Amino acid sequence: MVVMEINTGTSIRNPVEPGFLRRAGRVASQVFFTPLGGIGCTLVLLILVIALFAPALAPYSPTAINVKERLADPSLHHLLGTDQLGRDLLSRVMVGTQTAMMVAMSALSIALLAALPLGLIAGYGPRWLDACLILVFDSLSSLPMIMLGLAIVVLLGPGIPTVILVIVIYSVPSYARLVRTQTLSLKSRDFIKAEQAMNASTPRILFGHLLPNVIGPLLILACLDISTVITLEAGLSFLGLGVKPQVPSWGNILSDGFSVIRSTALPVIAGGVPLILATIGFTFFGEALRDALDPKLARERKP
Amino acid sequence: MTIFVIRRVGLAAIILLIVAILLFSMMHLIPGDPTVVALGPRSTPEMREAFREMMGLDQPILKQLALYLGRLAEGNLGEDVWSRRPVLTIIFEVLPYTVTLALASFLWAVTLGIFLGCLAVVHHGRWPDWLIGLLSVGFVAVPSFVVALYSLLIFAVSLNWLPAIGAGAPGDIVGQLKALVLPSFAIGLGWVGYVARLVRAAMIEAMGENYTRTLRSFGVSERRIIYRYALRQALLAVLSVIAIGFGGLLTGSVFAEIVFSRPGLGKMTYDAVMSRNYPLVMGTVLVTSALYVTCMIIADVITAWIDPRVRSAL
């Protein structure tokens, strides 16, 4: 059977290579023209544009205090009004978008970079190492995330690096697990066996052949995770345990707004709506992307 | 089946051991005097001395770890550094509040989730199905603390229908129930979406099975098939998910408890974090992990009980 397949010359090819651009175009239209993906793409684009150009778009400095105009109602000067220190809420929300995206993107990149080698080692390396790594991943993912976050914050103190660390510790196990499963199933495929038969070096197999096949599902998973990560950052900041209080972030706006919730609802609405739109946008986008690319990647997001 | 259960319990024990070692070593991994790391710079020398003694910090590090694990095995989670009360006592004082909250959230998730799921199946392929699909993804995505803040804003501050803070006076059952509505809704909403999707998927699968076709050929009405046969299938699927979810709900309570100033595990942990009370935080993380893992075992056992094929998987 194996010999026959090698003779036909189809299944020993690395499945990632052919027709990449054509496939990408098809996937893009598949993602965009579903209700889920359409809403998701629009929201994600909007958020990314605001995040990129926040300092230029924001009408005021997000940290400029103006006590005379504290808790001002929306007006032409302050479209969303001001908070209890007279800071312009619209500017804070915009720059907060940048903070959220920056934290989420850097944390997820670090997590992906850490998870790739760990997963490849677990999947391609010796059995005992695999067993050890899986046990560690299992223990980490059985830790209640927010509690773990709190424990780390007690020891390290609040700040962006701590938030990033919490996110990385939370996401590495699930990513590494995915890489491992993919590697295990790819390992027995003929195109890898053919490489091995041709005496290819282990790094060549790992990075030249396994990596390109593993990275697609991994990116989908990361995409589905962005909203969880944004929530985690905003949640920690809301508790006063995330980014520093003076840094504009959605969590901080909500936390400031919560303390004046009985006199005005505006800051809470201004901080919460973008957060809701971002989490919904990225979740819709991620789900549409998964449905288009890899429907079998069964990972239901749990609340 | 017995072997399956024993293996799951063994794995859970190993996981808890690793969590304990992790919590212990985190304190030492961070540079500086461990007493300052764990208790913060504002701690008094007496507190540090008491903590040093309690953790046996003068001993070599492996012996400390062994002593710590030994104390854990005896059920001694250490002492609160401020009040010097045993951590376990404090945890068991607040745990009932959080468990009640989690149960109430489940009530939301199960009733509303199954209702929406059934609605989607009845209108399968038409706009209500489409809308519920979109809504349930949205419910899962929205952060629970924003739901908590907005429901506080709408129903407690603006409309003044329900209390904004506290858990109700002791003995006042109606007040306690009223205080439970909003926080449990905030935590449960995500699960509403999740359960709705699950119920919809399980029922649609059941509707395609051969036995459903047989029922149809016998002239059983579609309504009866949906509510009597397909729903039963879906309920079994919900059951195992709910068991896993319970652990998640216990920790998800942090935000709702803080927004509504309810006493409970989450609020207590938060206060412990703010006052740099590491022994208390360590204890809560351990206890919640234990609860979490227990729920996972229960979920696995339920799944294995429903579907014998799972038993051989591990």
Side-chain angles (χ1 to χ4, degrees):
Chain A
M1 189 62 197
V2 172
V3 176
M4 245 181 69
E5 276 176 9
I6 289 176
N7 284 342
T8 57
T10 47
S11 68
I12 54 166
R13 289 206 24 211
N14 187 331
V16 158
E17 286 157 19
F20 179 74
L21 273 179
R22 207 177 49 225
R23 262 183 54 201
R26 204 177 58 220
V27 165
S29 70
Q30 247 173 340
V31 168
F32 198 78
F33 293 112
T34 55
L36 214 61
I39 300 176
C41 284
T42 317
L43 286 174
V44 166
L45 276 178
L46 185 73
I47 287 161
L48 288 181
V49 167
I50 293 179
L52 275 176
F53 301 107
L57 289 174
Y60 293 87
S61 156
T63 48
I65 295 175
N66 182 357
V67 189
K68 267 189 235 157
E69 291 193 43
R70 57 193 291 271
L71 294 178
D73 286 329
S75 61
L76 281 179
H77 295 287
H78 299 285
L79 285 177
L80 291 178
T82 58
D83 68 0
Q84 60 262 56
L85 293 175
R87 295 173 293 197
D88 181 49
L89 272 172
L90 181 66
S91 313
R92 281 181 79 71
V93 167
M94 284 176 148
V95 181
T97 314
Q98 197 175 35
T99 314
M101 290 320 295
M102 196 196 73
V103 171
M105 293 301 171
S106 48
L108 282 180
S109 326
I110 297 174
L112 288 178
L113 284 180
L116 266 175
L118 282 175
L120 285 174
I121 290 170
Y124 202 76
R127 284 288 295 273
W128 61 270
L129 200 58
D130 182 28
C132 289
L133 283 171
I134 279 297
L135 197 61
V136 174
F137 298 155
D138 274 354
S139 337
L140 278 180
S141 44
S142 71
L143 269 169
M145 177 190 29
I146 199 76
M147 292 290 177
L148 176 74
L150 292 179
I152 294 175
V153 174
V154 184
L155 295 179
L156 286 177
I160 290 184
T162 314
V163 176
I164 292 180
L165 181 71
V166 173
I167 296 172
V168 168
I169 292 180
Y170 153 73
S171 29
V172 163
S174 63
Y175 299 165
R177 253 177 172 286
L178 179 81
V179 176
R180 170 186 173 269
T181 335
Q182 296 276 335
T183 312
L184 279 179
S185 76
L186 287 168
K187 199 159 80 167
S188 53
R189 293 270 290 276
D190 287 334
F191 75 98
I192 296 293
K193 290 222 169 107
E195 283 289 325
Q196 283 168 339
M198 288 189 288
N199 208 10
S201 68
T202 309
R204 187 187 153 86
I205 295 177
L206 283 181
F207 297 107
H209 294 278
L210 289 175
L211 193 69
N213 282 295
V214 159
I215 216 146
L218 194 62
L219 286 181
I220 302 175
L221 194 61
C223 217
L224 283 169
D225 253 2
I226 293 180
S227 64
T228 316
V229 165
I230 293 175
T231 307
L232 189 60
E233 183 266 316
L236 283 174
S237 305
F238 174 70
L239 295 179
L241 303 170
V243 302
K244 297 254 157 50
Q246 64 273 20
V247 177
S249 89
W250 294 336
N252 286 341
I253 299 172
L254 281 171
S255 159
D256 291 341
F258 181 47
S259 58
V260 293
I261 199 168
R262 290 193 178 274
S263 40
T264 168
L266 213 65
V268 170
I269 296 174
V273 170
L275 180 55
I276 292 179
L277 290 182
T279 47
I280 286 184
F282 278 105
T283 308
F284 281 13
F285 176 65
E287 299 232 341
L289 196 65
R290 185 203 47 200
D291 292 346
L293 280 176
D294 197 355
K296 275 182 295 179
L297 186 72
R299 195 176 110 113
E300 288 276 332
R301 249 199 80 209
K302 292 219 184 81
Chain B
M1 189 70 186
T2 322
I3 295 173
F4 176 80
V5 175
I6 292 173
R7 281 174 107 162
R8 295 307 290 166
V9 172
L11 188 67
I14 296 173
I15 287 176
L16 281 182
L17 185 69
I18 293 178
V19 170
I21 295 175
L22 201 75
L23 284 171
F24 175 83
S25 44
M26 258 168 39
M27 193 172 66
H28 289 274
L29 278 177
I30 290 155
D33 180 359
T35 59
V36 180
V37 168
L39 303 180
R42 277 181 302 171
S43 53
T44 61
E46 292 81 44
M47 274 164 54
R48 281 184 214 167
E49 196 46 50
F51 183 66
R52 196 188 303 278
E53 206 170 295
M54 184 173 87
M55 299 298 296
L57 289 179
D58 307 320
Q59 316 273 355
I61 193 148
L62 280 177
K63 196 171 173 202
Q64 283 178 40
L65 180 62
L67 285 172
Y68 172 65
L69 294 177
R71 284 198 304 274
L72 287 185
E74 290 171 2
N76 175 3
L77 295 184
E79 280 176 350
D80 179 342
V81 282
W82 298 91
S83 68
R84 306 299 305 267
R85 294 169 61 214
V87 166
L88 205 60
T89 318
I90 302 179
I91 291 177
F92 277 116
E93 266 172 23
V94 293
L95 198 58
Y97 289 104
T98 305
V99 171
T100 322
L101 186 60
L103 287 176
S105 326
F106 259 139
L107 214 60
W108 281 108
V110 172
T111 48
L112 214 54
I114 291 180
F115 172 72
L116 288 178
C118 286
L119 206 62
V121 173
V122 173
H123 298 279
H124 183 45
R126 274 170 290 155
W127 67 267
D129 183 21
W130 185 83
L131 185 70
I132 288 172
L134 219 56
L135 269 184
S136 35
V137 186
F139 286 167
V140 177
V142 173
S144 74
F145 70 98
V146 180
V147 182
L149 278 173
Y150 282 9
S151 51
L152 175 91
L153 190 65
I154 297 170
F155 295 105
V157 176
S158 300
L159 297 173
N160 212 358
W161 287 352
L162 292 159
I165 49 170
D172 176 13
I173 304 281
V174 179
Q176 284 175 358
L177 285 179
K178 271 185 165 175
L180 207 56
V181 176
L182 291 180
S184 60
F185 175 72
I187 307 175
L189 189 65
W191 285 92
V192 170
Y194 189 60
V195 168
R197 288 184 95 179
L198 198 74
V199 166
R200 180 183 173 275
M203 281 173 84
I204 285 175
E205 197 192 322
M207 304 282 282
E209 297 277 353
N210 282 335
Y211 69 82
T212 319
R213 210 167 50 195
T214 315
L215 285 170
R216 279 206 188 98
S217 70
F218 275 26
V220 180
S221 71
E222 198 70 3
R223 187 162 290 268
R224 197 175 153 83
I225 292 176
I226 290 178
Y227 291 112
R228 197 172 157 82
Y229 296 94
L231 186 59
R232 189 186 294 178
Q233 237 14 59
L235 289 185
L236 287 177
V238 172
L239 198 65
S240 63
V241 173
I242 276 180
I244 304 182
F246 198 72
L249 277 186
L250 284 177
T251 59
S253 60
V254 179
F255 292 110
E257 282 173 2
I258 288 164
V259 169
F260 292 96
S261 331
R262 275 178 71 87
L265 203 60
K267 178 103 171 60
M268 192 267 283
T269 316
Y270 172 72
D271 292 338
V273 169
M274 290 318 250
S275 59
R276 294 291 291 260
N277 201 336
Y278 194 57
L280 195 51
V281 177
M282 253 167 128
T284 355
V285 175
L286 259 180
V287 170
T288 42
S289 309
L291 288 170
Y292 206 76
V293 174
T294 315
C295 293
M296 258 173 11
I297 297 175
I298 294 173
D300 284 346
V301 170
I302 293 176
T303 320
W305 175 56
I306 296 171
D307 185 354
R309 281 171 301 180
V310 181
R311 284 177 217 167
S312 53
L314 188 115

